[in-house]
Amino acid sequence: LRSLPIYEDDRFIATFSRVGTTLTQTILLSLLSKGFGQDQFLRSSPFIDLKAFNYNGMQLALEAERPRLLKTHLITRLMPREYVVVKPKTIIVVRNFFDCLVSNYHFYKSYSTYKMLYPDLNFDEFFKYMVEDELHGYGSIFRWHKFWLKYATSEGRDHCLVIKYEDIVNNKIDTTRKMANFFKIEVTEESLKKAEEDSNFGKMQVRFEEFYIKDFIREGKANRIDPVFSKDQIHLLQTKFKKDLGELANLIEM
């Protein structure tokens, strides 16, 4: 994966797990007039760091027509070597950490691989693993965001755009237009409306139930502290969030 060729016209979506990646992909693929069938979706926006079952994201990226729309959950230092040199345009989606943790918990409870690793996982255990970086998957949620946000806000990084999940959900048309302008995708009022409809959570739930894991698309709620969190967990997450991210924490709604 580190050797994957990167081109100036590549478009990247960089996210931590469960922060609105599929929602963002769906919006952009709609604007690009790409289909949403299983094979079309997975090929039209390759998940470069996924190799599982019959899916090889890196190989699909190598075969994809340019300009490519590529998805990754990788931390910056694990990106393909050419990424930092070529500097392709990249949208980094961030989400309220409370919402992100709850969504990841349900994902770990539903996805077959994680169900085998953590067969009787309850939320308190999950929270502890997540905060202490002991969970199998994409590593520390704090480190991922610190690395990517520090990279994106450094001087000379105008190829990066940070987008809040909450803005996509609550102000979809304007945020879609902002992402399209950044990626230099021509849009019309009609195509913006279609992207809004294609990314409706009800429609996405039906679409992804056909070929993905159960409940892959959930409620799409934004900016709430689920009652599953204890007062101590709320305090711990908020404290660690501010300590680890510093000023970068201002880029995420908490």
Side-chain angles (χ1 to χ4, degrees):
L1 181 54
R2 293 276 286 164
S3 64
L4 178 69
I6 302 298
Y7 307 107
E8 288 186 3
D9 59 357
D10 281 339
R11 297 160 172 156
F12 269 90
I13 303 170
T15 63
F16 192 76
S17 172
R18 310 301 293 173
V19 302
T21 321
T22 303
L23 173 63
T24 307
Q25 285 177 286
T26 299
I27 290 171
L28 293 171
L29 288 174
S30 177
L31 294 178
L32 293 167
S33 300
K34 304 289 186 180
F36 297 115
Q38 179 177 8
D39 187 63
Q40 289 173 303
F41 190 90
L42 296 174
R43 287 183 175 276
S44 297
S45 182
F47 185 179
I48 65 169
D49 29 308
L50 179 62
K51 185 176 182 180
F53 306 109
N54 295 321
Y55 187 85
N56 186 330
M58 178 176 172
Q59 185 60 41
L60 289 175
L62 290 170
E63 298 170 357
E65 293 183 5
R66 293 172 57 187
R68 304 180 297 185
L69 179 64
L70 305 175
K71 161 188 170 178
T72 183
H73 288 330
L74 291 173
I75 199 165
T76 48
R77 60 186 174 82
L78 296 179
M79 288 291 285
R81 293 185 189 90
E82 292 185 359
Y83 176 83
V84 295
V85 178
V86 178
K87 298 181 179 180
K89 285 189 175 293
T90 302
I91 288 177
I92 301 152
V93 185
V94 297
R95 183 182 187 183
N96 179 295
F97 275 28
F98 289 102
D99 293 340
C100 180
L101 259 66
V102 171
S103 186
N104 269 288
Y105 172 64
H106 288 287
F107 182 63
Y108 272 73
K109 293 284 285 185
S110 301
Y111 189 47
S112 58
T113 301
Y114 295 141
K115 284 170 68 176
M116 288 188 291
L117 290 171
Y118 308 100
D120 301 309
L121 186 67
N122 61 49
F123 184 79
D124 289 342
E125 292 172 328
F126 174 83
F127 180 87
K128 179 179 181 294
Y129 292 150
M130 198 77 165
V131 170
E132 296 179 2
D133 191 17
E134 296 177 355
L135 203 64
H136 178 83
Y138 283 92
S140 167
I141 185 174
F142 304 98
R143 188 186 309 117
W144 191 98
H145 285 84
K146 181 178 181 179
F147 277 42
W148 266 109
L149 294 178
K150 185 176 181 180
Y151 175 85
T153 56
S154 298
E155 187 176 353
R157 301 286 162 74
D158 56 355
H159 63 288
C160 292
L161 174 68
V162 178
I163 291 288
K164 294 179 180 179
Y165 171 83
E166 294 76 16
D167 288 339
I168 301 176
V169 172
N170 298 323
N171 193 7
K172 188 177 287 184
I173 291 291
D174 287 344
T175 307
T176 297
R177 184 182 285 109
K178 183 177 182 179
M179 293 191 294
N181 289 340
F182 179 71
F183 274 161
K184 299 190 184 307
I185 300 172
E186 292 187 10
V187 297
T188 62
E189 292 305 313
E190 182 181 355
S191 67
L192 288 169
K193 186 65 176 176
K194 184 177 184 302
E196 181 181 39
E197 293 173 354
D198 286 339
S199 59
N200 171 276
F201 279 101
K203 288 186 177 181
M204 288 176 63
Q205 286 172 344
V206 173
R207 192 182 304 132
F208 283 90
E209 283 271 329
E210 296 176 357
F211 65 91
Y212 245 127
I213 62 174
K214 187 177 184 300
D215 297 328
F216 182 73
I217 303 297
R218 296 187 64 249
E219 300 173 322
K221 300 293 184 182
N223 261 354
R224 64 173 185 173
I225 297 181
D226 195 288
V228 71
F229 290 96
S230 68
K231 289 183 179 180
D232 287 343
Q233 288 171 338
I234 293 172
H235 175 72
L236 177 59
L237 186 58
Q238 289 176 332
T239 301
K240 187 169 176 58
F241 171 76
K242 293 175 182 177
K243 178 183 177 182
D244 286 15
L245 271 72
E247 292 185 0
L248 297 172
N250 296 325
L251 296 171
I252 302 172
E253 291 199 16
M254 284 281 280

